[in-house]
Amino acid sequence: MRRRMLAQLEPWGITPHHARALRCIGETDRARLRDVADRLRIAARSATEVVDALQEKGLVTREPDPLDRRATLVSPTEDGRRLVEAIDAARAERNAEFFGALTAQDRATLHRILGSLPVE
């Protein structure tokens, strides 16, 4: 699945990590850079590097937080929002193809097993 995901993201020139960050930012209108780091479970410096790469591609913008001048807000651009939609559509297609080999009962069993694992 990872190889398929890498191949699907290649035309857009982003990594799976960039795609996760863009989706995280896109879930809100504006996110503090610190919140992005926390949601991705990465260091603030790493989040800065990821956002730098997304900004260079025109997928996000930065602005100072009017409530805290030490903080930076990150927002998706229209291109960023469209890319999240395209990635989500490709992901749904990839998952349907990959898991389509399973019977409905097998998919339900897999869902139950994965749902019972602890999430950290």
Side-chain angles (χ1 to χ4, degrees):
M1 285 190 75
R2 285 182 188 262
R3 282 190 298 253
R4 288 179 184 197
M5 183 175 186
L6 284 169
Q8 282 186 319
L9 292 175
E10 189 175 355
W12 293 302
I14 64 171
T15 66
H17 197 61
H18 293 149
R20 283 185 58 224
L22 186 57
R23 180 175 292 107
C24 170
I25 294 164
E27 289 173 354
T28 63
D29 189 36
R30 297 188 306 185
R32 282 189 174 174
L33 194 52
R34 175 79 241 167
D35 295 336
V36 173
D38 290 347
R39 291 198 57 210
L40 295 175
R41 297 183 180 135
I42 60 176
R45 177 69 190 137
S46 296
T48 299
E49 292 172 2
V50 170
V51 170
D52 285 347
L54 294 173
Q55 188 174 18
E56 285 177 23
K57 295 180 180 301
L59 301 173
V60 299
T61 59
R62 281 189 173 110
E63 63 183 277
D65 185 337
L67 303 176
D68 181 354
R69 65 183 207 188
R70 297 168 297 165
T72 300
L73 296 173
V74 184
S75 302
T77 62
E78 283 305 313
D79 285 346
R81 290 181 204 282
R82 281 192 292 274
L83 182 54
V84 168
E85 289 174 9
I87 290 169
D88 286 348
R91 182 180 182 192
E93 182 180 316
R94 181 184 72 242
N95 288 345
E97 179 183 308
F98 187 78
F99 293 108
L102 299 176
T103 66
Q105 182 178 358
D106 287 343
R107 283 192 302 273
T109 300
L110 180 60
H111 186 268
R112 181 187 56 75
I113 291 169
L114 293 176
S116 67
L117 297 174
V119 178
E120 292 185 25

